[in-house]
Amino acid sequence: MSRFFLLFIFLGLLVSTSFSQTTSQQANLDSLRREIRALDQELYEVQLNLDRSKNQLKKGIFIATIGYTVTIIGGQLLGSNPDVGKTLLYVGGATGIVGTVVLVKGFNKISLKAPILPPSY
C-alpha cells in the first residue's frame, strides 16, 4: 500500500512540474511575441521617417540647385546687364537659402530620439 501511495505522490509531482514548465514556456512565448511586435512597430516608424525625409531632401536639393544656378547666371549677367544680374543674384540667393532650409528640415526628420540601451541579459 505504501508503494502505491509513493507512486501516486511521485506521479503527482511529475505532472505538476511538467504543467508549471508548460505555463512558464507559454509566458516566455507571449513575451517574445510582444517584443517582436514592438520591434516591428519601431522598424515601421523608422522606415516611415526615412521615406518622408527622402522626399523632403529631394525637394530641398532641387530648390537649392535652382536657386544657386540662378545666382550663378545673375553673376554672369552683371557685366553685360547689371540690373537683371543684380535681380537674379538676389532672387537666386534667396531661393538657394530656402532650399537649404528645406534640406535642414529633411535632415531633422531623419534624426530620431536617442536610442535607449536594452537591459543587460
Side-chain angles (χ1 to χ4, degrees), residues 50-91:
L50 286 175
D51 184 59
R52 287 180 180 165
S53 65
K54 178 185 77 169
N55 293 334
Q56 187 156 3
L57 289 173
K58 284 182 178 181
K59 286 179 194 174
I61 290 170
F62 180 73
I63 294 170
T65 302
I66 295 295
Y68 295 131
T69 302
V70 170
T71 302
I72 292 170
I73 293 170
Q76 294 293 321
L77 290 177
L78 279 177
S80 60
N81 197 348
D83 292 334
V84 174
K86 271 187 187 178
T87 305
L88 288 178
L89 278 174
Y90 292 130
V91 170

Side-chain angles (χ1 to χ4, degrees), residues 28-46:
N28 288 339
L29 188 59
D30 289 342
S31 173
L32 183 61
R33 285 181 181 149
R34 279 193 304 272
E35 188 66 28
I36 289 172
R37 283 188 197 120
L39 286 173
D40 280 343
Q41 180 64 30
E42 186 176 340
L43 178 63
Y44 172 75
E45 289 174 7
V46 168

Side-chain angles (χ1 to χ4, degrees), residues 2 6 10 22 27 34 38 62 64-65 72 77 85-86 102 109 116:
S2 67
L6 288 176
F10 177 72
T22 304
R34 279 193 304 272
F62 180 73
T65 302
I72 292 170
L77 290 177
K86 271 187 187 178
V102 172
K109 282 186 180 180
I116 299 171

